[in-house]
Amino acid sequence: MNLKESLLNIIADRDRQQLSIILEDSYPIDIAAALSEFEDDELTQFTALLTAKEIASIIEESDEELQQKLLGLLDSSKIVTAFSYMSSDDIADILGILDISQRKELLKRMRISDSKDIQMLLGYGPETAGGIMTTQYIALKNTLNMKDALQEIRRIGPRTEIIETIFVVDQHTELVGKADLRDILIASEDTKLEEIMDENVLSVHPETDQEEVSLIVSKYDLKVLPVVNRKNAILGIITIDDVIDVIVEEHTEDLLMLSGVSKDEKVGNSISMSVQRRLPWLFINLMTAFLASFTVSLFEDVIVQVVALAAAMPIVAGMGGNAGSQTLSVVIRSIALGEISIKKDWKFVINEVALGLINGLATGFITGLILFIKYDNIYLGIIILVAMIGNLIIAGFFGFLIPLILSKMNLDPAISSSIFLTTTTDVGGFFIFLGLAKLFLPLLL
Amino acid sequence: MNLKESLLNIIADRDRQQLSIILEDSYPIDIAAALSEFEDDELTQFTALLTAKEIASIIEESDEELQQKLLGLLDSSKIVTAFSYMSSDDIADILGILDISQRKELLKRMRISDSKDIQMLLGYGPETAGGIMTTQYIALKNTLNMKDALQEIRRIGPRTEIIETIFVVDQHTELVGKADLRDILIASEDTKLEEIMDENVLSVHPETDQEEVSLIVSKYDLKVLPVVNRKNAILGIITIDDVIDVIVEEHTEDLLMLSGVSKDEKVGNSISMSVQRRLPWLFINLMTAFLASFTVSLFEDVIVQVVALAAAMPIVAGMGGNAGSQTLSVVIRSIALGEISIKKDWKFVINEVALGLINGLATGFITGLILFIKYDNIYLGIIILVAMIGNLIIAGFFGFLIPLILSKMNLDPAISSSIFLTTTTDVGGFFIFLGLAKLFLPLLL
């Protein structure tokens, strides 16, 4: 019997005892997955059996669709009680997907101090440090001694996301350091926090982009990063598990956008939604394709005379595209990891051009040789060799510079780089190859 | 004055006091970055000023090149002292890049218990759970009371990577639960660990692939995951910060391999290395291009008679390629996130085929219309419309199934999917379009 069936049996029998056993043995995310296949009335009956704390743990692990469903079915007082077991960033995320009237209703019913925190979080963009931070952290005064500090940690700890790192503030609530719980546990009782704290604390502002946050956290191997305002007062913390979500999200975006797919695309999306998301990109590509086609049509007179050109030209354009996307993905990756910038690294374009020359020579030589043998014309072979060298150089040059320039203009290089690049290598490839053929037409006849 | 210059001044003046100030104010990773531009003799002079603990923190944050350099310059006894401040997974990684004689020499000089841990770690593949785990964790007996437990945590804590989660073992050293330090801090002194522990502990075996580890950690939002042997005895732990590195690595691999670039490719690599890494992929692509070219050459007689076909045919092939890579990247992404499998989700291929039909109809209609206007031949327009619908259906069908089949065969779908797909959409596109043209040639003349 799978989890869904077990839960349905529990609803039928209203068997709270069996439910407790299952909740103990399963992970909330697996329960949530099973619930997402439930009908509304089954959900209502099921949640009626749960405590607010159990509901909280399931809501936290549900996807947006199930969250919306659950919050529509539960009454406000039960939701607010469940919220008291959840971290503020999760609550803010959930409120963010509700309609305004329900959101206001819930905020009104929450404890004032909590609702103030949540409203602050709701004010930040979802992809900023403020949007992903939580307000459940421990910040203690620098003059506190170990005994009192430990007392506070015992008191606040159960409601915080992290207890290994304690933030230290001065009398103006300014962030002045961080202390490791290990040191607090072993220091003598009357040691003060400021004696054992580490004054080196990296922090970010709430409007910092989440991608920058993830770069800082992974570069400095941090488990937690505080978010401070202009006066250096601590507003919240970002924990490493939230950063993992950001990294996965940003990488997905990069990978999908390189192929012109929206980051929300998933296998199993409705067809009409997928059409809406993918068709615009195909239309943009169609314009590119017409540009390439137009380039070819300029040389129709040549093709009629040497029809071998029609068969050979896709090779030149295609290889340029392949070489270009090799360069492109290396550069986009380096940009995402914060490793390069156009100012510092533009000179590496020479490497890519040299690579294009060498790879063009190697692949062009083979192609030329095969065409020479097939059509028994050495000049056709030479022309395609030169065209491939030229197009792979173009590919290296633009594959390197396009994403860097886009990123410098604060545009996401993953979105539009490939479209510019394909245009360049297609049009460039056809133009060089067919242009050379036209120039040396007598030799080809 | 930048960090590198400050450090060079310190070497010149042998100014240990100034060095202490700088070390206090900087992050080891920034120091390491500065050191990577040092000459060997500067490095030797600099490390002579450092304590073993300071050396340890810098080595941990260095890239492989600097690590090798530093370990070549330092004498074995200082290295072994530095190792005593480092976590076992980092030591194992470092020993892994040394030559065997130096590795043996260092292992011989280490404490026997430490060297046994390290040798165990060295025995696991670098991309497995065993390869990324550390042996510095806290595991306590289930019958221990809070007072004694806290005593042990105080004693062992400073040398462990994580103290929020304490693992609980029974008398046979079998993993039976985990306890939260928060609960230990607030429970009464004579409570036993088994009373407050959570018996639900996910664990992996040392040979588990690191990609699976990262999926488990991010799905269940874990901060730490224990690694156990067949008898369920704990061997080590994997912490979330190591998982971040894995995720970044795996994503980079996927993104780069989709374009046929090795995962180690970086901007600024030597040209000869890049040629070696990229050229093989281009040769494979060249074979594909020849297949496409061969398909075209089958229809040279038709093209000579209707040269417009030469200009139009890149549109059909190109749009198929674009639509196919949209499907491909969505599927590869879903595979990487462990969201789909061929067994469960093969039926979604119908969605992709339907998408191909709709998108082919939309883009094909526009293309057909333009060609009709340009060449004043309605049949040319109809033929390209049909060809584009056909090719986009092919793209959806194969873009969906190729990665799933490769993954089912335990091949990395990111590596070879795109090459199979391009072959299909190129050959398919040219064949349908030119084949239809040949069939209805009289209508086109």
Side-chain angles (χ1 to χ4, degrees), chain A residues 393-429:
Chain A
I393 288 178
I394 290 178
F397 185 79
F398 287 102
F400 186 85
L401 290 182
I402 290 173
L404 280 174
I405 291 170
L406 288 175
S407 145
K408 175 82 186 168
M409 293 163 68
N410 281 324
L411 296 170
D412 188 334
I415 303 181
S416 26
S417 292
S418 69
I419 196 81
F420 287 117
L421 184 67
T422 321
T423 312
T424 326
T425 52
D426 274 1
V427 172

Side-chain angles (χ1 to χ4, degrees), chain A residues 110-165:
Chain A
M110 289 170 70
R111 273 174 38 198
I112 294 188
S113 63
D114 290 343
S115 77
K116 266 175 67 184
D117 275 0
I118 303 291
Q119 270 171 322
M120 174 184 78
L121 293 179
L122 282 169
Y124 300 117
E127 302 203 342
T128 64
I132 57 172
M133 75 185 184
T134 172
T135 51
Q136 271 103 348
Y137 54 87
I138 308 182
L140 302 175
K141 269 275 199 50
N142 52 350
T143 49
L144 223 56
N145 67 31
M146 292 303 114
K147 196 183 165 195
D148 295 341
L150 208 51
Q151 203 51 49
E152 278 297 288
I153 294 167
R154 283 202 174 94
R155 194 175 64 82
I156 317 172
R159 283 180 293 116
T160 61
E161 284 226 358
I162 192 157
I163 62 166
E164 265 188 57
T165 304

Side-chain angles (χ1 to χ4, degrees), chain A residues 24 154 185 200 223 293 311, chain B residues 24 154 161 185 200 293 311:
Chain A
E24 182 117 330
R154 283 202 174 94
L185 286 174
N200 253 349
K223 284 188 178 128
S293 166
Chain B
E24 181 116 334
R154 285 202 173 92
E161 285 227 358
L185 286 175
N200 253 348
S293 165

Side-chain angles (χ1 to χ4, degrees), chain A residues 24-27 29-30 61 153-154 157-158 160-164 181-182 185-186 200-202 218-221 223 240-241 243-244 247-248 251-252 254-256 258-261 265-269 271 274-275 278-279 281-283 285-286 289-290 293 296-297 300 303-304 307-308 310-315 319 322-323 325-327 329-331 333-334 337 339-340 348 351-352 354-355 358-359 362-363 366-367 370 374-375 388 392 400 430, chain B residues 24-27 29-30 61 150 153-154 157-158 160-164 181-182 185-186 200-202 218-221 223 240-241 243-244 247-248 251-252 254-256 258-261 265-269 271 274-275 278-279 281-283 285-286 289-290 293 296-297 300 303-304 307-308 310-315 319 322-323 325-327 329-331 333-334 337 339-340 348 351-352 354-355 358-359 362-363 366-367 370 374-375 388 392 400 430:
Chain A
E24 182 117 330
D25 289 346
S26 334
Y27 291 89
I29 193 167
D30 296 325
E61 298 295 340
I153 294 167
R154 283 202 174 94
T160 61
E161 284 226 358
I162 192 157
I163 62 166
E164 265 188 57
L181 182 56
R182 293 173 182 77
L185 286 174
I186 54 179
N200 253 349
V201 197
L202 281 174
S218 58
K219 176 175 176 194
Y220 291 102
D221 268 336
K223 284 188 178 128
I240 191 170
D241 47 315
V243 169
I244 285 206
I247 292 179
V248 171
H251 284 264
T252 304
D254 277 2
L255 182 83
L256 293 182
L258 253 181
S259 323
V261 187
E265 273 271 82
K266 268 188 193 167
V267 169
N269 275 156
I271 295 176
S274 295
V275 169
R278 297 195 201 168
L279 197 50
W281 178 254
L282 292 177
F283 278 132
N285 273 278
L286 189 58
F290 267 106
S293 166
V296 175
S297 70
E300 280 179 1
I303 294 173
V304 170
V307 74
M313 67 186 199
I315 300 179
M319 292 306 290
N322 291 324
S325 57
Q326 287 185 328
T327 305
S329 59
V330 173
V331 175
R333 198 61 211 128
S334 298
L337 293 176
E339 290 174 350
I340 58 170
F348 287 118
N351 288 28
E352 294 297 331
L355 257 176
I358 297 169
N359 288 340
T363 53
I366 294 181
T367 313
I370 294 177
K374 190 173 170 193
Y375 295 99
M388 282 180 72
L392 264 66
F400 186 85
F430 290 137
Chain B
E24 181 116 334
D25 290 346
S26 330
Y27 290 89
I29 193 166
D30 296 324
E61 297 295 340
L150 209 50
I153 295 168
R154 285 202 173 92
T160 60
E161 285 227 358
I162 192 156
I163 62 166
E164 266 189 55
L181 182 55
R182 292 173 183 77
L185 286 175
I186 54 178
N200 253 348
V201 198
L202 281 175
S218 58
K219 175 175 176 193
Y220 292 100
D221 269 336
K223 284 187 177 129
I240 193 170
D241 47 314
V243 170
I244 284 205
I247 292 179
V248 171
H251 285 262
T252 304
D254 278 1
L255 182 83
L256 293 181
L258 253 181
S259 325
V261 186
E265 274 275 87
K266 266 187 196 170
V267 169
N269 275 156
I271 294 175
S274 295
V275 169
R278 296 195 203 171
L279 197 50
W281 179 254
L282 291 178
F283 278 133
N285 273 277
L286 189 58
F290 267 107
S293 165
V296 175
S297 72
E300 278 177 3
I303 294 173
V304 170
V307 74
M313 68 187 198
I315 300 178
M319 292 307 291
N322 292 324
S325 55
Q326 288 185 327
T327 305
S329 57
V330 173
V331 176
R333 198 61 211 127
S334 297
L337 293 176
E339 290 173 348
I340 58 168
F348 287 117
N351 288 28
E352 294 297 330
L355 257 174
I358 297 169
N359 289 340
T363 53
I366 294 182
T367 313
I370 294 177
K374 192 173 169 194
Y375 295 100
M388 281 179 73
L392 264 68
F400 187 86
F430 289 137

Side-chain angles (χ1 to χ4, degrees), chain A residues 335-395:
Chain A
I335 293 174
L337 293 176
E339 290 174 350
I340 58 170
S341 69
I342 190 158
K343 208 176 141 191
K344 193 166 52 73
D345 302 294
W346 62 269
K347 51 190 178 295
F348 287 118
V349 74
I350 295 165
N351 288 28
E352 294 297 331
V353 166
L355 257 176
L357 177 70
I358 297 169
N359 288 340
L361 204 63
T363 53
F365 179 77
I366 294 181
T367 313
L369 193 68
I370 294 177
L371 287 195
F372 165 47
I373 294 169
K374 190 173 170 193
Y375 295 99
D376 194 23
N377 184 322
I378 182 86
Y379 300 104
L380 182 62
I382 294 174
I383 284 175
I384 205 163
L385 166 64
V386 175
M388 282 180 72
I389 293 176
N391 205 22
L392 264 66
I393 288 178
I394 290 178

